[in-house]
Amino acid sequence: MDESNATCGKRLDSIGVENTEENRRTYRELLVSTPGLGEYISGAILFEETLYQSASNGKKFVDVLNEQGIIPGIKVDKGLVPMAGSNGESWCQGLDGLAQRCAEYYKAGARFAKWRSVVSIPNGPSTIAVRDCAYGLARYAAICQENGLVPIVEPEILLDGEHDIDRTMEVFMDTWAQTFHYLADNKVMFEGILLKPSMVTPGADWKGQKPAPEVIAEYTLKALRRRVPPAVPGIMFLSGGQSELEATLNLNAMNQSPNPWHVSFSYARALQNSVLKTWQGNPANVDAAQKSLLARAKANSDAQLGQYTMDGEAASAAEGMYEKGYTY
């Protein structure tokens, strides 16, 4: 639920619902009030607007989440902007005033934060873009920890491109190496962060055969073991435009043997796609939409235990959600 108002508007537009504050609030209430959600979801990343919103009964969303045992978090970056002098690459803004904002978010009930920076393989990646991604994440993480928030560190390697899985792995390891170098330089406590990476896959426009989940798991875990210290307690994968089914199958494959970290999920589109299609903005569909969310949450909860099966999956779960140059 950390999408900006504009991105949330795209979601609503896909089902013919107008992008108004009340419609955004109504949709987010559907999500946070889903009965039993806390059995499968431990945290929810909120957009600033959502952090201060309330349910229709007047109860703050933060309190609704806490009552379910779901820890509220907050997106703190200010989005991607073009990087001057680059080949269409981006950098993430939001460090100015971050300490003050973190303090206010903590008072409002947030207990962790998220900052998304991206690296584009077809546009480079240039040395300066990777360095900016890594250094920005490190400064953000240090500021969050100073203000009582657990930082989710998200260096996303975009799916854009025709490259193979080996090229993706090369860029992953370079990006993660620099990220942890700068985290250490900024005296970030590794035990007090979570890493939110994308998975090591070929580019979305790769012309070869799509790798099986076992292959994606092998490459991703190999890259993680080579770059991520075991002091980091958790790896929370983003879905990055994969279909709901792909994201779950790949996560399940990564949990077929023990890992140095807890390997789990932090999905947005791969949890909500079926929910939106079921809801359609119709109050009569709220119960069915919440059941859809609960089913996806349970599927991924099972996957982070390595116990997922495809029993009962709908065909719609296999529909891709990739968007070139995706922004929040």
Side-chain angles (χ1 to χ4, degrees), residues 119-125 157-169 171 201-211 322 324-325:
V119 170
S120 170
I121 294 178
N123 290 353
I157 313 300
L158 295 172
L159 276 176
D160 303 356
E162 300 179 355
H163 50 277
D164 63 16
I165 195 169
D166 290 291
R167 175 59 177 151
T168 305
M169 185 169 177
V171 174
T201 68
D205 296 321
W206 162 245
K207 305 302 183 185
Q209 184 175 357
K210 180 177 288 189
Y322 165 69
K324 186 175 182 179

Side-chain angles (χ1 to χ4, degrees), residues 77-97:
D77 68 76
K78 292 297 183 178
L80 301 171
V81 292
M83 175 173 283
S86 73
N87 181 33
E89 294 176 288
S90 302
W91 66 281
C92 189
Q93 58 187 349
L95 289 176
D96 290 350

Side-chain angles (χ1 to χ4, degrees), residues 95 98-99 102 135-149 151 153 182-183 185-189 192-193:
L95 289 176
L98 180 58
C102 283
Y135 185 77
L137 285 166
R139 289 302 307 139
Y140 139 79
I143 292 167
C144 282
Q145 288 188 343
E146 282 190 348
N147 288 277
L149 298 178
V153 176
Y182 285 117
L183 286 169
D185 280 356
N186 282 273
K187 297 180 172 55
V188 172
M189 183 178 69
I193 71 170

Side-chain angles (χ1 to χ4, degrees), residues 27-190:
Y27 174 58
R28 287 159 174 164
E29 180 175 357
L30 180 159
L31 299 173
V32 303
S33 64
T34 296
L37 188 63
E39 185 176 347
Y40 308 115
I41 301 292
S42 60
I45 309 169
L46 309 177
F47 189 61
E48 186 175 51
E49 175 183 82
T50 317
L51 181 68
Y52 297 100
Q53 284 180 325
S54 300
S56 54
N57 62 5
K59 184 174 293 185
K60 290 185 177 298
F61 283 163
V62 166
D63 295 330
V64 175
L65 290 167
N66 280 323
E67 287 178 3
Q68 290 232 52
I70 300 173
I71 301 171
I74 178 72
K75 167 187 161 71
V76 300
D77 68 76
K78 292 297 183 178
L80 301 171
V81 292
M83 175 173 283
S86 73
N87 181 33
E89 294 176 288
S90 302
W91 66 281
C92 189
Q93 58 187 349
L95 289 176
D96 290 350
L98 180 58
Q100 294 84 354
R101 286 187 285 121
C102 283
E104 290 301 316
Y105 296 149
Y106 188 92
K107 289 179 184 177
R111 291 297 178 265
F112 67 96
K114 191 201 88 161
W115 176 290
R116 175 185 181 253
S117 196
V118 303
V119 170
S120 170
I121 294 178
N123 290 353
S126 65
T127 300
I128 190 64
V130 174
R131 184 184 303 150
D132 184 84
C133 169
Y135 185 77
L137 285 166
R139 289 302 307 139
Y140 139 79
I143 292 167
C144 282
Q145 288 188 343
E146 282 190 348
N147 288 277
L149 298 178
V150 172
I152 291 180
V153 176
E154 184 177 354
E156 180 176 357
I157 313 300
L158 295 172
L159 276 176
D160 303 356
E162 300 179 355
H163 50 277
D164 63 16
I165 195 169
D166 290 291
R167 175 59 177 151
T168 305
M169 185 169 177
E170 178 185 348
V171 174
F172 263 69
M173 291 199 296
D174 182 30
T175 304
W176 292 348
Q178 293 202 46
T179 298
F180 281 97
H181 168 78
Y182 285 117
L183 286 169
D185 280 356
N186 282 273
K187 297 180 172 55
V188 172
M189 183 178 69
F190 289 174

